[in-house]
Amino acid sequence: MKSLGVQVLACSADSRFVHKIWQEEELSKMVPGGVPFPMLSDAGGKIGRAYGVYDEEAGVNIRGRFLIDPDGVIQAMEVLTPPVGRKFAESIRQIQAFQLVRASKGTEATPAGWEPGGIVLKPGPDLVGNVWKVWKPSMEK
């Protein structure tokens, strides 16, 4: 994620020892060398509570993903129940979209299904009622 200029952190209520085993015995078999970002231990759920993803009854953080901008503002969040996996490529696409919008200082927006290099929208009165002219359902892959 260094190529995007972002920092990724994983966080769970598991101990650092559980993370070590998870990294060595599981993640390293899925990703060569294991995940290339820090795994934080949130024993007690303080971080999970702050983000609203701590399950008090189970004593675990449920799956949450938060995109936080350089100003510390949450720009996107997704919370899923444990049996449903996430798609890392979608996180990357959204980071790229947020970076484009931020760099344009709000003069550009990305339509649904936007991919890097795709068309962008120019927010303003002229766009209202005219998005259909530039965005088509086929743009969502």
Side-chain angles (χ1 to χ4, degrees), residues 31-106:
V31 178
V35 294
F37 45 81
M39 296 174 69
L40 308 176
S41 177
D42 185 25
K46 186 174 181 180
I47 297 168
R49 279 187 194 90
Y51 285 89
V53 295
Y54 187 72
D55 181 334
E56 297 284 344
E57 188 174 308
V60 299
N61 292 329
I62 58 174
R63 291 181 174 177
R65 178 182 61 90
F66 301 87
L67 299 181
I68 304 170
D69 72 15
D71 300 320
V73 177
I74 296 174
Q75 293 294 328
M77 60 186 274
E78 175 182 51
V79 178
L80 300 170
T81 58
V84 176
R86 294 147 293 182
K87 186 172 182 178
F88 200 63
E90 175 59 6
S91 296
I92 293 171
R93 186 196 73 79
Q94 288 179 348
I95 289 166
Q96 292 168 321
F98 282 112
Q99 288 177 333
L100 180 143
V101 170
R102 184 178 176 92
S104 78
K105 297 187 181 344

Side-chain angles (χ1 to χ4, degrees), residues 17-29 31 33-39:
F17 305 111
V18 171
H19 288 163
K20 181 180 187 309
I21 295 299
W22 179 243
Q23 181 77 285
E24 291 173 357
E25 300 299 324
E26 187 76 20
L27 297 174
S28 64
K29 293 177 176 92
V31 178
V35 294
F37 45 81
M39 296 174 69

